[in-house]
Amino acid sequence: MADAAIGDLARRAKRAIVAGGTGLWIRALLRGLVEAPGASAEFRAGFRRELEREGVAALHARLERVDPDAARAIGTNDRVRIERALEVHALSGRRLSDLQREHAFAEERYPARVISLDPPRELLHDRIARRTRTLFESGALERETRWLLDRCERVPAARKALKIIGYGEMAAALAGRSTPDEAEARVTARTRQYAKRQRTWFGKEYGPASEWPPDAARLCADGARWYDGG
């Protein structure tokens, strides 16, 4: 969808302004993705049966045999990435690590000016805490989690969404496995950890962030020059 929108703008001699998105999403947009086989329902059903029978450690050991480099990069308990690496090898006969090295995110799909904002840690932590408190006090997170749990009863694959920050913690609170205060504290902590990973990733990928507080006038002027092709 993003490619289609950018293409439409380009045909009208306009540039796209993209806001937000995770680091991986932005990298995929600007640099493309590794060409690998799509998901196989048959393979994944078999993987889950083996996971229940043998455990994740045994499947990680299998990955070490077929793709040692991928195994070193993937945690021994990271079921999702272990599954994907084994799936790519099973469907294509090639190692995922080799495909990633060949791709190396080296293709520049679009010329881009990337601007990242990085507020002081204390300010960021305060905003995360206030946002989390609002999610709990407003009831929005509880309503969405109840809807998701209901969907999981009908579509078991939807349980994967419970790994998203907030849903799993609220589900635990609704089931009585934790208190609402404990769930809120856990959501806040996980969000801080996620923010730290994003800050590290953006710094490594695109260099230092813009100064804080941001000079809005200068950023707008720079953006306007870039937009006009300068």
Side-chain angles (χ1 to χ4, degrees):
M1 293 176 65
D3 283 337
I6 292 171
D8 176 63
L9 289 169
R11 286 189 292 273
R12 291 185 279 137
K14 296 181 180 294
R15 296 194 186 217
I17 298 176
V18 179
T22 65
L24 180 58
W25 188 92
I26 293 172
R27 177 190 279 175
L29 176 66
L30 299 181
R31 300 287 181 177
L33 290 171
V34 172
E35 291 189 11
S40 164
E42 181 180 359
F43 175 88
R44 296 191 174 196
F47 177 90
R48 286 174 174 79
R49 288 193 295 270
E50 293 180 60
L51 180 65
E52 293 177 1
R53 186 172 61 250
E54 302 176 23
V56 68
L59 294 174
H60 189 271
R62 182 194 302 176
L63 180 60
E64 287 182 325
R65 293 192 292 272
V66 301
D67 191 344
D69 290 341
R72 279 191 290 272
I74 297 173
T76 54
N77 292 315
D78 193 336
R79 180 193 62 78
V80 173
R81 294 179 66 201
I82 293 170
E83 176 185 61
R84 181 56 181 156
L86 288 172
E87 180 179 45
V88 168
H89 184 266
L91 298 181
S92 69
R94 299 202 61 194
R95 297 174 175 177
L96 177 61
S97 60
D98 289 339
L99 295 174
Q100 291 172 332
R101 270 192 295 271
E102 291 170 7
H103 183 273
F105 291 100
E107 173 192 6
E108 184 177 356
R109 302 177 71 235
Y110 302 108
R113 170 74 189 277
V114 178
I115 299 172
S116 62
L117 301 178
D118 187 9
R121 185 174 60 178
E122 295 76 12
L123 176 59
L124 182 61
H125 284 186
D126 178 66
R127 289 183 176 180
I128 288 172
R130 286 192 283 114
R131 174 183 177 274
T132 303
R133 173 58 59 86
T134 299
L135 284 173
F136 276 78
E137 289 186 342
S138 68
L141 181 59
E142 180 177 346
R143 288 192 297 273
E144 291 184 17
T145 303
R146 288 187 183 278
W147 176 88
L148 178 58
L149 290 171
D150 179 66
R151 179 171 174 78
C152 288
E153 294 294 324
R154 294 176 281 108
V155 186
R159 296 194 66 83
K160 291 188 293 185
L162 291 173
K163 295 182 179 180
I164 297 173
I165 296 174
Y167 293 135
E169 291 78 10
M170 177 56 76
L174 292 174
R177 296 192 299 272
S178 69
T179 67
D181 286 347
E182 289 169 340
E184 181 179 335
R186 177 60 178 156
V187 171
T188 299
R190 288 188 65 197
T191 306
R192 286 181 176 181
Q193 293 164 0
Y194 179 74
K196 181 179 179 180
R197 291 195 299 271
Q198 290 289 79
R199 295 172 79 180
T200 301
W201 189 92
F202 276 99
K204 181 179 179 181
E205 194 84 358
Y206 298 112
S210 298
E211 62 185 10
W212 190 271
D215 184 338
R218 183 179 62 79
L219 288 176
C220 288
D222 289 347
R225 283 194 295 271
W226 172 84
Y227 190 90
D228 291 335

